[in-house]
């Protein structure tokens, strides 16, 4: 059995000494979670305003999801896809019916689901669109975030993600986000097989495109026989006030890419959804994952999605988002420290009036933590605020009171 930590300092020291330094965590050591709350090893309670980058939409340790996990773990956890199991087909049917597609391909991490979508788009491009061998192009957009693999970072313009990790994979063209005329131009190239976008750019700092951008992108893809590849890993599963962020504009992508909250933060589960004509271009042996579509994940994904529906989390995210932004916009009027409030549903951000390389947002997050609220800056001067979707109106107000107290009293 794992030994017990004697203090938060010990836990931090162990991670520093034995763990890779690929993250820069806030100095809190968490040991328990329930609903919207997390507790540290000293028993201090926090509101979670990160939700594990929107993976814990259903709240921490949701009893229905955890009980499903335990029950299934006692029966069967992994067979690999060398054999059939009695849960995967049921989960595939469930997600296909929920999202309205013919077929699902389960993976684990979000990055793997995006890799899957890249392979599907390319193979579709060669076998259906007739693109000449090895000439396929996927159009991506500036400031995208789709994961950390070498193929995915080949489409990134973030130097932190790319510097010293080359050589990069060819076959990506990067255009400006939220720029319809850039799409009009890029998609006419006959070698383009896919347009790869996030409906709201989460990691970039919660950039919400203009109304109509996604609809225009869908139309241009159809006109040019290009697959719309929508990465809803952060925005999906009720986070923005609809089951999918694309639902705000009635957009139906050809490849829908999901992850994170598919499991309520309990297991790494991701998937790609598509219709037969696209999904069946991949044949046995051409793609896979030992853990992808395991029976434990199959059981968990169905229960986690039922929780979203039964507890009306999309509706709650929509309503609480309005309350939250109303409070943040009122706060913005009181202080010069906030220059912008933006977001949809419960995926929101405040932009701090300082440079990207300043410590201000980080120091505000330290103060918020001291006062019982956990949030993290993204890109230096932007603080993303994204609690679990089970948050109540009273709790939203309590959290806004904490944020207001810190921001108004903050001295640089
Ligand atoms: N795509 C988007 C939009 C994301 O926000 C993330 C993670 O933050 C990913 C992909 C990568 O997911 P994972 O970390 O599970 O590989």
């Amino acid at each position: 059995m794992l030994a017990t930590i004697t203090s938060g300092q010990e836990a931090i020291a162990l991670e520093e000494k034995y763990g890779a330094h690929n993250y820069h965590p806030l100095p809190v050591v968490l040991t328990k979670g329930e609903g919207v709350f997390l507790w540290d090893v000293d028993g201090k309670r926090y509101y979670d305003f990160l939700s594990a980058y929107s993976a814990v939409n259903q709240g921490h340790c949701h009893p229905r999801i955890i009980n499903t996990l335990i029950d299934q773990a006692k029966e069967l956890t992994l067979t690999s896809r060398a054999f059939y199991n009695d849960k995967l087909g049921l989960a595939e049917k469930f997600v296909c019916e929920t999202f309205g597609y013919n077929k699902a391909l389960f993976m684990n991490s979000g990055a793997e689901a995006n890799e899957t979508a890249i392979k599907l788009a390319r193979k579709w491009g060669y076998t259906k669109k007739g693109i000449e061998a090895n000439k396929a192009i996927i159009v991506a957009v500036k400031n995208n975030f789709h994961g950390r693999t070498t193929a995915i970072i080949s489409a990134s313009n973030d130097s932190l993600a790319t510097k010293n990790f080359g050589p990069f994979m060819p076959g990506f063209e990067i255009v400006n986000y939220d720029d319809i005329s850039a799409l009009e131009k890029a998609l006419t190239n006959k070698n383009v097989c896919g347009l790869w976008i996030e409906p709201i750019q989460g990691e970039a700092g919660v950039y919400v495109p203009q109304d109509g951008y996604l609809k225009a992108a869908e139309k241009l893809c159809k006109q040019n026989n290009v697959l719309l590849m929508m990465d809803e890993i952060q925005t999906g599963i009720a986070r923005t006030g609809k089951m999918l962020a694309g639902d705000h504009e009635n957009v139906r992508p050809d490849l829908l890419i999901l992850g994170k909250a598919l499991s309520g933060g309990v297991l790494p589960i991701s998937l790609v959804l598509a219709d037969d004509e696209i999904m069946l271009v991949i044949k046995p042996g051409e793609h896979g994952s030992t853990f992808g579509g395991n029976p434990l994940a199959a059981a968990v994904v169905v229960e986690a999605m039922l929780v979203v529906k039964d507890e009306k989390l999309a509706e709650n995210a929509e309503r609480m988002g309005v309350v939250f932004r109303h409070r943040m916009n009122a706060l913005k009027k009181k202080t010069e420290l906030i220059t912008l409030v933006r977001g949809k549903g419960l995926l929101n951000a405040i932009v701090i009036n300082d440079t990207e390389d300043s410590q201000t947002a980080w120091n505000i997050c330290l103060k918020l933590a001291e006062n019982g609220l956990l949030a993290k800056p993204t890109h230096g001067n932007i603080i993303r605020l994204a609690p679990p979707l089970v948050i109540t109106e009273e709790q939203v107000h309590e959290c806004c009171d904490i944020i207001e107290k810190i921001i108004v009293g903050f001295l640089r």
Side-chain angles (χ1 to χ4, degrees), residues 23 53 108-112 114 145-148 198 200 202-203 231-235 259-260 384:
Y23 277 85
Y53 299 100
N108 311 285
S109 67
E112 284 173 301
N114 273 308
F145 184 86
H146 298 293
R148 300 293 194 175
E198 300 154 82
I200 293 173
E203 291 309 296
D231 180 346
E232 290 246 20
I233 286 168
Q234 186 160 156
T235 52
K260 296 190 192 267
R384 174 180 22 206

Side-chain angles (χ1 to χ4, degrees), residues 65 150 196 202 268 368 408:
I65 307 173
T150 46
W196 191 21
L368 288 172
V408 169

Side-chain angles (χ1 to χ4, degrees), residues 269-281:
I269 305 176
S270 64
L271 64 83
V272 177
L273 287 149
D275 286 339
D276 284 343
E277 172 182 75
I278 299 163
M279 193 64 94
L280 295 179
V281 300

Side-chain angles (χ1 to χ4, degrees), residues 215-250:
K215 200 73 199 163
E218 181 188 46
K219 196 169 150 210
L220 287 166
C221 282
K222 283 216 164 55
Q223 273 171 5
N224 293 287
N225 197 22
V226 166
L227 299 183
L228 179 58
M229 311 157 63
M230 193 83 97
D231 180 346
E232 290 246 20
I233 286 168
Q234 186 160 156
T235 52
I237 324 298
R239 170 57 55 189
T240 71
K242 300 262 187 215
M243 183 57 101
L244 299 172
D247 292 347
H248 290 284
E249 291 192 21
N250 266 324

Side-chain angles (χ1 to χ4, degrees), residues 72 106 152 345 358 377 397 408:
Q72 183 60 38
F106 275 94
I152 289 172
S358 80
H397 281 296
V408 169

